[in-house]
Amino acid sequence: MASTHTPDTTLMANAIRALAMDAVQQANSGHPGAPMGMADIAVALWSRHLKHNPRNPLWADRDRFVLSNGHGSMLIYALLHLTGYDLALSELRNFRQLHSKTPGHPEVGITPGVETTTGPLGQGITNAVGMALAEKLLAAEFNRPGHTVVDHHTYAFLGDGCLMEGISHEACALAGAWKLNKLIALYDDNGISIDGQVTPWYIDDVAQRFEAYGWNVIAEVDGHDVAAVDAAIAKARSSALKPTLIICKTTIGKGSPNRAGTAKAHGEALGADEIKLTREALGWRHEPFVIPEEAYEAWDAKAAGDRAEHEWAERFARYKAEHPALAAEFKRRMAGELPANFAQTAVDAAVAAQTQAQTVASRKASQLALEAFTKALPELLGGSADLTGSNLTNTSSTPPLRFTDTGAVKLGEDGKPGRHINYGVREFGMAAIMNGVALHGGYIPYGGTFLTFSDYSRNAIRMAALMRTRVIHVFTHDSIGLGEDGPTHQSVEHAAALRLIPNLDVWRPADTAETVVAWACAIQSRHRPSALLLSRQNLPYAPKATSGAAPQASGLDAIARGAYVLAEPGEVGLKKKAQAVIIATGSEVQLALHAQAQLAQAGIAVRVVSMPSTTVFDRQSTAYKQSVLPAGLPRVAVEAGVTDGWWKYGCAAVVGLDTYGESAPAPVLFKHFHFTAENVAATVQKVLAK
């Protein structure tokens, strides 16, 4: 967005510096160094290149901007305020205070104009890779000759810390492989981190590193020369094949006479005396939080934003006239709405699962469900971290995503891009890229790996939950049931650990019907990520009861509530009320059913409750929870994992595993660790004997 006049770039940059140091001083907390050091870079990008509209932060074809070094949050808050977003000066005064729109690190959904939550270093640039990928795929899918409705760049600011984090290697290597030419990263090369000068612990040749990834590199740019940065960005925007890294040499805390270029500028307020000296050094004669009108006029992006969006709206109107179905589909996808027939698709898939009653591993049940859902939902964008044949995340509707030597997305016979991504052995990168894809809009990403490797992905999963994004994790090989690979791969604590993450739905289905429901719920969950924990070994279909709290014909109603009565005593021939409840998940549901049958032979009546999702069940009404787990009935939980999480359900005993597994065939391991119907039945009898 070029300006029609030549603004005072020094004034514009110093407005950022003043707001940053004033806000951090007011809060007595924060990071003034990065905003002060990157102020000139921000002037070049935000006033001369960034396509955005402060009056409509969610305009579909805006450029995406990510502050990967999120600790420098006052940089983006200053930019949003100055350019005209709905972020009042009072919010900057309230920096880092309770319920303000200016939290310590940028948070999507809190501050208008913030595209992603950043702070955990390296994840912001990885989100940006996901956003750039989404743009490229949507452009390939929706643009038509003479009609370009998807055409925007993704920009990221990042620092030394982002590049030290291993996830930056995972993501930036993929960005090069995917030829994301509209991704432009600006590296704040100031040589300082919290512990001081980085040279004793960071000696990477960043330029050669990124060249090896297949990036363009524009090195040795003076980060305090707006014209030089402007020229570098213009050059980067002309790339037709590669993403670009612009290495900007800067001084952290630029303008501070005694703190500039030191670690003291990084993460603490400058102090009143140093701020006074900085004002004098910058020639900034204004009181704290006072911005001169000429600075506001120079920064104001509202009129330019309105023009850019209006021009796009006119192009989209012409596109809609010629391609009405595509236009409607684009708007639906970008709004995050599911097709009108999705509910029926889910019901049909659940009914088919119950009718066919197949005995398959739940990872295979997942693939069967995905066959229906990926066919009905073109926005489902799958993938796997080099375990496609094990995770079974691919379907007949999701051919592999590939790119031509010229950087174009390869299209299938249907004229559409591939929808299954080979992420390579990059679990963390995959998880954070999926976050970026989801935040961009237009796709619902899902990706697979083994459950034990969820630890690699965990912080990105947590960020998805914090950001309330619809991302689906497919975790297979969920217990000692995977067998011979041994304890390095056998998940014991992972289900419990994932259940601890607020706003993450965790599903561990027992059969094909529960797996379909888990997928349907995950797809419908617009503001919550989901994790599906799936078995390697085959699981028999568990017939569903037809009355009481059990599911209706489709299986959706009760299963979708996280737990339901799978079998009453009458199912095994006992016409008496239950004396106890066995709660089970996943592969252990069959143990519970067999134990119920054994106990019935001894005249002991037991209700079996399948609880595929503790997290969903916990949100149900008290009345529903009591209908499934009646007061006064002793409860025994069964799951091939750690026991701690089950005591909150008032269990009298838990058949679980509070140690690591062993290397042996799965049937041997289940017997060795006492996961047998006999042991479950004996445990119930011991509880009743008390």
Side-chain angles (χ1 to χ4, degrees), residues 38-390:
M38 297 194 77
D40 303 294
I41 302 171
V43 171
L45 174 61
W46 278 67
S47 71
R48 301 186 180 184
H49 296 280
L50 192 71
K51 181 176 67 173
H52 65 121
N53 188 358
R55 287 195 239 261
N56 185 8
L58 299 180
W59 165 38
D61 202 43
R62 68 193 182 278
D63 288 339
R64 269 52 169 190
F65 173 76
V66 174
L67 185 69
S68 190
N69 45 343
H71 54 271
S73 55
M74 267 310 303
L75 176 60
I76 192 169
Y77 298 151
L79 287 165
L80 293 170
H81 169 72
L82 291 167
T83 54
Y85 284 78
D86 183 18
L87 192 66
L89 191 62
S90 59
E91 293 291 350
L92 276 62
R93 289 179 177 273
N94 213 22
F95 178 54
R96 288 186 161 226
Q97 304 308 301
L98 185 65
H99 302 317
S100 77
K101 292 183 180 179
T102 50
H105 293 81
E107 294 186 40
V108 67
I110 300 295
T111 314
V114 169
E115 301 282 2
T116 181
T117 300
T118 55
L121 295 176
Q123 287 195 60
I125 180 61
T126 309
N127 295 163
V129 170
M131 293 175 185
L133 175 65
E135 190 274 346
K136 187 162 190 169
L137 296 182
L138 287 168
E141 185 173 352
F142 286 98
N143 289 348
R144 290 295 182 270
H147 298 282
T148 303
V149 294
V150 182
D151 183 17
H152 53 268
H153 284 77
T154 301
Y155 297 96
F157 284 1
L158 67 158
D160 293 309
C162 293
L163 294 180
M164 291 185 213
E165 290 285 359
I167 191 174
S168 68
H169 165 68
E170 298 182 25
C172 294
L174 283 170
W178 295 336
K179 301 177 175 60
L180 300 180
N181 61 298
K182 290 185 181 177
L183 173 63
I184 300 173
L186 294 103
Y187 166 35
D188 180 28
D189 184 11
N190 61 37
I192 296 291
S193 67
I194 293 174
D195 283 353
Q197 289 282 346
V198 300
T199 46
W201 54 85
Y202 187 57
I203 62 170
D204 297 26
D205 187 322
V206 174
Q208 288 192 2
R209 171 183 164 187
F210 275 75
E211 287 169 355
Y213 292 151
W215 286 52
N216 294 316
V217 177
I218 304 174
E220 300 295 333
V221 175
D222 182 351
H224 301 303
D225 183 338
V226 172
V229 178
D230 174 23
I233 296 171
K235 183 178 180 181
R237 285 169 56 89
S238 68
S239 172
L241 187 62
K242 299 178 179 181
T244 300
L245 178 72
I246 302 172
I247 301 177
C248 301
K249 292 289 185 179
T250 64
T251 300
I252 192 171
K254 173 75 171 176
S256 171
N258 298 302
R259 297 286 184 91
T262 73
K264 292 286 284 184
H266 175 86
E268 60 184 77
L270 297 182
D273 292 342
E274 185 66 14
I275 286 178
K276 183 174 182 292
L277 293 173
T278 304
R279 278 184 150 75
E280 293 172 356
L282 295 174
W284 189 263
R285 299 177 177 84
H286 311 284
E287 294 298 311
F289 296 104
V290 173
I291 302 297
E293 191 59 35
E294 56 264 36
Y296 278 120
E297 290 175 358
W299 271 115
D300 191 351
K302 295 191 292 295
D306 286 342
R307 287 193 299 272
E309 183 175 357
H310 179 70
E311 188 274 334
W312 178 82
E314 289 184 330
R315 281 190 284 123
F316 191 81
R318 294 192 293 271
Y319 175 75
K320 181 179 179 180
E322 191 165 332
H323 304 285
L326 277 175
E329 176 71 357
F330 178 78
K331 291 183 70 174
R332 177 189 74 78
R333 296 259 296 270
M334 291 305 293
E337 298 171 354
L338 297 177
N341 64 346
F342 174 77
Q344 189 59 50
T345 299
V347 168
D348 291 346
V351 169
Q354 294 195 65
T355 302
Q356 296 169 16
Q358 292 178 275
T359 294
V360 293
S362 54
R363 61 172 175 157
K364 181 62 179 178
S366 169
Q367 188 179 46
L368 294 172
L370 277 172
E371 280 291 347
F373 291 133
T374 56
K375 182 178 180 180
L377 277 73
E379 59 263 46
L380 281 175
L381 182 65
S384 172
D386 203 46
L387 289 168
T388 301
S390 295

Side-chain angles (χ1 to χ4, degrees), residues 604-664:
I604 299 172
V606 170
R607 167 184 283 189
V608 173
V609 168
S610 178
M611 192 176 287
S613 179
T614 63
T615 51
V616 173
F617 180 67
D618 289 348
R619 294 198 300 272
Q620 303 306 307
S621 67
T622 299
Y624 181 78
K625 287 189 280 191
Q626 290 178 346
S627 74
V628 175
L629 301 175
L633 287 185
R635 302 161 189 172
V636 174
V638 188
E639 185 175 60
V642 294
T643 59
D644 281 359
W646 290 104
W647 302 110
K648 69 178 181 179
Y649 296 107
C651 293
V654 180
V655 178
L657 186 60
D658 287 315
T659 185
Y660 294 112
E662 298 279 357
S663 179

Side-chain angles (χ1 to χ4, degrees), residues 352-682:
Q354 294 195 65
T355 302
Q356 296 169 16
Q358 292 178 275
T359 294
V360 293
S362 54
R363 61 172 175 157
K364 181 62 179 178
S366 169
Q367 188 179 46
L368 294 172
L370 277 172
E371 280 291 347
F373 291 133
T374 56
K375 182 178 180 180
L377 277 73
E379 59 263 46
L380 281 175
L381 182 65
S384 172
D386 203 46
L387 289 168
T388 301
S390 295
N391 302 146
L392 303 182
T393 43
N394 58 331
T395 73
S396 60
S397 298
T398 58
L401 175 63
R402 296 291 183 265
F403 300 88
T404 68
D405 292 340
T406 59
V409 179
K410 283 188 177 181
L411 303 180
E413 293 180 0
D414 59 357
K416 295 180 179 180
R419 289 165 53 201
H420 191 272
I421 301 171
N422 300 103
Y423 286 96
V425 188
R426 300 181 178 98
E427 295 86 1
F428 193 8
M430 175 178 69
I433 286 171
M434 289 197 296
N435 288 350
V437 168
L439 288 163
H440 179 279
Y443 292 102
I444 300 173
Y446 68 90
T449 187
F450 290 164
L451 178 56
T452 190
F453 301 143
S454 64
D455 285 338
Y456 285 137
S457 309
R458 186 176 180 85
N459 199 260
I461 298 171
R462 181 180 187 272
M463 294 300 288
L466 176 62
M467 294 188 288
R468 299 167 60 83
T469 56
R470 179 163 45 186
V471 176
I472 303 171
H473 293 271
V474 179
F475 293 127
T476 68
H477 297 58
D478 68 344
S479 73
I480 58 172
L482 67 88
E484 293 85 348
D485 276 345
T488 59
H489 285 52
Q490 292 165 357
S491 293
V492 174
E493 76 279 20
H494 296 86
L498 289 171
R499 289 169 183 150
L500 292 174
I501 298 176
N503 201 48
L504 172 69
D505 277 348
V506 180
W507 292 87
R508 189 168 184 251
D511 62 13
T512 52
E514 289 190 3
T515 305
V516 167
V517 174
W519 265 109
C521 290
I523 291 168
Q524 291 171 304
S525 183
R526 290 191 62 168
H527 303 297
R528 185 179 281 116
S530 301
L532 277 61
L533 282 47
L534 307 169
S535 73
R536 180 194 184 212
Q537 74 274 25
N538 286 346
L539 306 180
Y541 179 78
K544 308 295 183 276
T546 56
S547 62
Q552 297 176 7
S554 70
L556 281 171
D557 293 331
I559 298 173
R561 301 180 81 167
Y564 63 101
V565 178
L566 176 62
E568 293 282 28
E571 304 292 325
V572 287
L574 280 185
K575 296 182 179 180
K576 55 192 292 190
K577 291 184 177 180
Q579 300 164 259
V581 178
I582 303 176
I583 310 167
T585 76
S587 52
E588 288 69 70
V589 167
Q590 286 299 317
L591 291 181
L593 291 171
H594 289 306
Q596 180 195 40
Q598 289 186 15
L599 289 165
Q601 294 176 0
I604 299 172
V606 170
R607 167 184 283 189
V608 173
V609 168
S610 178
M611 192 176 287
S613 179
T614 63
T615 51
V616 173
F617 180 67
D618 289 348
R619 294 198 300 272
Q620 303 306 307
S621 67
T622 299
Y624 181 78
K625 287 189 280 191
Q626 290 178 346
S627 74
V628 175
L629 301 175
L633 287 185
R635 302 161 189 172
V636 174
V638 188
E639 185 175 60
V642 294
T643 59
D644 281 359
W646 290 104
W647 302 110
K648 69 178 181 179
Y649 296 107
C651 293
V654 180
V655 178
L657 186 60
D658 287 315
T659 185
Y660 294 112
E662 298 279 357
S663 179
V668 174
L669 291 174
F670 277 109
K671 185 175 181 179
H672 174 73
F673 288 109
H674 309 295
F675 285 98
T676 63
E678 291 77 13
N679 184 47
V680 174

